[in-house]
Amino acid sequence: MSQLTHRGPSLSPGRSDHRPLPLTTGWLLGGALAAGLGLGAFAVVVLLLWTVSPYPDSGADGALHFAADLWLLAHGTQLVRTETLSGVPAPLGITPMMLTVVPVWLLCRAVREGLDARVEAGGDQSAFTVAGWVAGGYLLVGAAAIAYARSGPIQVDGLNAAWHLPLAVLCVTGGCAGLVYGRSPLSAFASLPSSLLAEPKARRLLRALARERIAVAVRAASAAVVVLCGGGALLLTGAVVWHANAVREAFPQLTGSASGQFAMLLLAIALLPNAVVWATSYGLGTGFTLGGGSVVGPVVADGYPPLPPFPLLAAVPDEGPGGVVVWCLAGMAPLAGGAVCGWWVGRSEVALGGPNGTGYGWRRILNTVLLAALLCGAVLALFAACAGGGLGAQALGHLGPYWWETGGAAFAWAFVVGTPMAFWVRWWRLHTDRMAIAAAREAASVEEHGLGEEWHSDESRRVRWSAMKAASGGLMPPFDPDEPLPAPVREQTPERTSGRSPERAAPARTPEQVPEDAEAGPDSPEPEPDGAERSTEEEGGGAGHTGGTGSANRAATEHADPADPAGATGGTSGSGTAPESGGGGSEDDGREGNGDAGTPRTS
């Protein structure tokens, strides 16, 4: 569109050079084109339904009038229905919020393309100047649509449209210019004249707005609004599913043709955002009204007027108190919204302050939560004002939630629930940070100095020994770590200790402790006569005595009594006399060696 409007050829017939249109003209045409596209989209849908309708009430002119009425209704203007049973015109003031998406998107697109064309042309105009020219072109087409829709069975209210349409267009174009150009309300406030900012009150206000808490409050309020509207959508879904039969039966009661039912379905889809806001107000506790002084809320629901068979109205809860279950389900959404608001504030730098919570003040958290609650309440109040309206003059003068009740309830929930949540989240964040810092310091200390003192404490040792005992599967005997057994004192020769570990050595018994019938083990050979023993030793040339000496040494080492050094000495001297005598030891010496060798080993 920018190439056609900003770089198109000149319409002057006598010029050979081609000049692009001025920027202002292109911006004006861009706004008019956006309005024309919106009108065309509504006209296409209405003409399609009029074509497939078996019994149209009017011709193509009536369909085009109705398309213009819907386009103006999408901007918030009020329509008037002149053909009534009483003869009194009845206003139609409920704006289907889904229809508002089309003109808003077209306006933002026109503003963005105008800003891009200004950058390409190197213009020095501000973004709000571009938005003003786009809004002017849009309003020119809107004025023509108002003049066209002033007649017919359903016509636009001229006085209402005279201020609703410009207000809606200027708000959309100004907001889009600020977002696309990167100018926030704070920067726009900062660009005010210096003479105005010279006042002390203005400086204090600017300083307060420029702080970080305003950004935190905006994020917290946005999150709370999303959670509240999400809870309202869940409540609406549950109500439609619960009353599914009544919702399904509402379509054939309105019209019997398929095209008519399809048109009712499209209207119900266009009103879904309105129903979500109504359900959100129901969850906040204030509820909404169906006209005639009725109240629809979780605590009380009575005074319903006769309702038309419309699908969304068929999902309205029955009259009477809701009960505990309904209260709990309805209260989950505002509780979650307030908790999210406090969570955003509690985890921000406004609440945490400097390192380890330095620079913290409870007033900062309280003021931020208060500002976020105010913003949340203002947004919900705006949604409630747009979602409600009138469908008649008296009993149906207002349907939907009241904006002041919805906004006040949203503010109260966000502030009451969000304040303790913000303080708790701040405490938890600081607590986890302190624990992480302590763990990092302990790990660094262990890495630098080895294991800490706790590893060598008595309690830690008991725990480790208990774990080892449990892992042994019962192989370790029971022990008392507080009273350890005294270790026996052993005197061993270097030759014996080098070949056998001291843990396997056991105290030996003295000859007096060993019974005579137990000196020979079950596997030991029977003792031979003394003569045969001496002849064997003499024939072996000392070899048999050497073997006896080895057996005696092993027996002396394994069964030596630490308290009897004489016995150990006697065994050692007895074994040492064999080499000197050349295998011809005395009879007593040989018998003593055989007796020691036959002594059973104890383990």
Side-chain angles (χ1 to χ4, degrees):
M1 186 178 70
S2 60
Q3 288 82 359
L4 296 177
T5 56
H6 305 311
R7 297 187 178 182
S10 177
L11 299 179
S12 301
R15 295 180 180 269
S16 59
D17 56 339
H18 299 279
R19 293 183 180 180
L21 293 175
L23 287 177
T24 55
T25 306
W27 299 334
L28 194 66
L29 291 178
L33 182 60
L37 290 175
L39 274 171
F42 281 91
V44 167
V45 175
V46 173
L47 287 175
L48 178 62
L49 293 176
W50 173 77
T51 302
V52 299
S53 177
Y55 307 105
D57 295 337
S58 60
D61 183 67
L64 292 177
H65 273 84
F66 187 69
D69 293 335
L70 287 180
W71 184 78
L72 293 172
L73 184 64
H75 294 80
T77 60
Q78 184 174 328
L79 303 180
V80 178
R81 184 165 53 91
T82 57
E83 297 180 357
T84 59
L85 296 178
S86 61
V88 179
L92 299 175
I94 296 181
T95 300
M97 299 178 68
M98 188 71 76
L99 301 180
T100 310
V101 176
V102 177
V104 168
W105 178 73
L106 291 172
L107 271 173
C108 291
R109 183 174 180 270
V111 172
R112 185 185 60 192
E113 291 185 351
L115 292 174
D116 294 341
R118 184 205 59 173
V119 173
E120 293 178 1
D124 56 351
Q125 297 86 351
S126 65
F128 295 101
T129 302
V130 178
W133 280 99
V134 173
Y138 195 94
L139 290 176
L140 288 177
V141 179
I146 291 174
Y148 180 74
R150 287 282 295 168
S151 61
I154 298 178
Q155 53 188 258
V156 65
D157 188 353
L159 294 178
N160 185 273
W163 68 274
H164 262 97
L165 183 62
L167 178 62
V169 172
L170 290 176
C171 289
V172 173
T173 54
C176 183
L179 292 177
V180 173
Y181 191 59
R183 297 291 298 273
S184 63
L186 291 180
S187 60
F189 186 82
S191 62
L192 293 176
S194 58
S195 59
L196 180 61
L197 296 180
E199 298 294 332
K201 294 183 178 180
R203 286 200 303 269
R204 286 196 297 268
L205 180 61
L206 178 62
R207 198 163 46 246
L209 291 176
R211 292 175 181 172
E212 187 184 0
R213 69 183 63 177
I214 185 69
V216 175
V218 169
R219 290 194 293 267
S222 303
V225 169
V226 170
V227 172
L228 287 174
C229 293
L234 291 178
L235 288 177
L236 175 63
T237 304
V240 171
V241 172
W242 187 262
H243 301 86
N245 294 330
V247 172
R248 185 178 61 254
E249 294 174 357
F251 286 97
Q253 293 180 10
L254 287 172
T255 177
S257 62
S259 61
Q261 294 181 9
F262 181 69
M264 289 297 103
L265 178 61
L266 292 180
L267 181 58
I269 293 175
L271 288 171
L272 273 180
N274 302 63
V276 169
V277 176
W278 290 25
T280 303
S281 180
Y282 181 88
L284 290 172
T286 57
F288 54 90
T289 180
L290 297 174
S294 61
V295 178
V296 182
V299 179
V300 58
D302 58 357
Y304 290 6
L307 300 177
F310 190 72
L312 293 180
L313 292 179
V316 174
D318 299 332
E319 294 188 59
V324 179
V325 177
V326 177
W327 298 346
C328 295
L329 292 177
M332 291 176 63
L335 281 175
V340 168
C341 179
W343 180 79
W344 272 97
V345 175
R347 65 188 293 271
S348 64
E349 295 296 333
V350 174
L352 297 177
N356 298 327
T358 58
Y360 154 76
W362 62 270
R363 293 184 179 179
R364 298 178 62 185
I365 297 180
L366 195 62
N367 292 337
T368 307
V369 174
L370 179 62
L371 183 58
L374 286 173
L375 292 176
C376 178
V379 173
L380 264 298
L382 178 62
F383 286 173
C386 296
L391 293 179
Q394 298 177 356
L396 300 178
H398 180 79
L399 277 76
Y402 293 101
W403 64 269
W404 61 87
E405 293 180 355
T406 304
F411 164 76
W413 279 102
F415 183 73
V416 172
V417 180
T419 301
M421 176 61 69
F423 282 100
W424 183 84
V425 169
R426 177 192 177 274
W427 174 84
W428 179 254
R429 286 291 302 272
L430 293 179
H431 174 70
T432 54
D433 291 345
R434 293 191 190 100
M435 295 294 292
I437 292 174
R441 290 178 178 175
E442 183 177 357
S445 176
V446 170
E447 183 178 357
E448 181 179 359
H449 304 288
L451 300 177
E453 297 180 357
E454 296 182 357
W455 177 263
H456 303 287
S457 62
D458 295 340
E459 186 66 25
S460 179
R461 291 177 178 177
R462 293 191 186 97
V463 172
R464 291 198 299 273
W465 277 105
S466 300
M468 292 173 61
K469 177 182 177 182
S472 65
L475 298 178
M476 296 180 63
F479 61 89
D480 189 1
D482 294 335
E483 298 179 1
L485 297 176
V489 180
R490 298 183 179 90
E491 294 182 2
Q492 299 176 351
T493 59
E495 296 83 33
R496 297 298 95 191
T497 57
S498 61
R500 189 174 182 87
S501 59
E503 288 80 3
R504 299 289 301 272
R509 299 181 182 179
T510 59
E512 293 79 9
Q513 296 175 345
V514 179
E516 296 180 357
D517 56 351
E519 288 185 358
D523 298 333
S524 60
E526 297 180 358
E528 298 180 357
D530 296 342
E533 182 180 356
R534 284 195 301 267
S535 62
T536 304
E537 291 176 358
E538 292 175 358
E539 292 175 0
H545 190 75
T546 305
T549 304
S551 301
N553 290 338
R554 285 194 300 271
T557 304
E558 295 175 355
H559 304 289
D561 189 359
D564 188 11
T569 304
T572 305
S573 59
S575 63
T577 56
E580 296 176 0
S581 59
S586 63
E587 181 179 356
D588 296 335
D589 294 338
R591 187 180 295 109
E592 182 180 357
N594 292 334
D596 293 340
T599 304
R601 295 172 60 185
T602 59
S603 58

